[in-house]
């Protein structure tokens, strides 16, 4: 499995997770409950994405690429 060809929807979900996590980690975030629920939903989508049917290898690579994508934007 090549760790560089993640599906677009998986990369977008990781990006949304990173953004939500940062918003929740900010000092005095607004609407904490909504952010926590969103983070939980995104976590479930990441964990159970069909891409992982062949095993969990590459999850750290996905996180690394998600962070790299954040720096590009």
């Amino acid at each position: 499995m090549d760790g560089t060809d993640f599906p677009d929807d998986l990369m977008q979900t990781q990006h949304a997770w990173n953004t939500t996590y940062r918003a929740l980690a900010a000092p005095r975030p607004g609407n904490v409950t909504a952010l926590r629920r969103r983070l939980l939903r995104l976590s479930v989508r990441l964990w159970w994405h069909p891409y992982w049917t062949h095993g969990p290898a590459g999850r750290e690579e996905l996180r690394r690429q998600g962070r790299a994508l954040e720096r590009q934007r």
Side-chain angles (χ1 to χ4, degrees), residues 2-38:
D2 184 10
T4 60
D5 37 332
F6 293 110
D8 288 337
D9 65 324
L10 187 57
M11 288 297 295
Q12 290 171 2
T13 303
Q14 182 66 51
H15 171 69
W17 190 96
N18 292 346
T19 302
T20 305
Y21 185 86
R22 274 195 317 279
L24 190 57
R28 298 184 186 192
N31 206 350
V32 173
T33 301
L35 287 171
R36 289 173 126 185
R37 287 179 180 161
R38 178 168 169 74

Side-chain angles (χ1 to χ4, degrees), residues 9-71:
D9 65 324
L10 187 57
M11 288 297 295
Q12 290 171 2
T13 303
Q14 182 66 51
H15 171 69
W17 190 96
N18 292 346
T19 302
T20 305
Y21 185 86
R22 274 195 317 279
L24 190 57
R28 298 184 186 192
N31 206 350
V32 173
T33 301
L35 287 171
R36 289 173 126 185
R37 287 179 180 161
R38 178 168 169 74
L39 193 64
L40 181 58
R41 280 194 307 274
L42 291 167
S43 295
V44 168
R45 286 174 53 191
L46 284 170
W47 186 261
W48 294 106
H49 192 279
Y51 180 81
W52 307 118
T53 57
H54 300 294
R59 289 185 194 268
E60 183 56 36
E61 178 63 17
L62 174 65
R63 287 189 283 276
R64 189 193 67 73
Q65 286 187 27
R67 287 189 299 268
L69 183 65
E70 293 292 318
R71 288 189 293 271

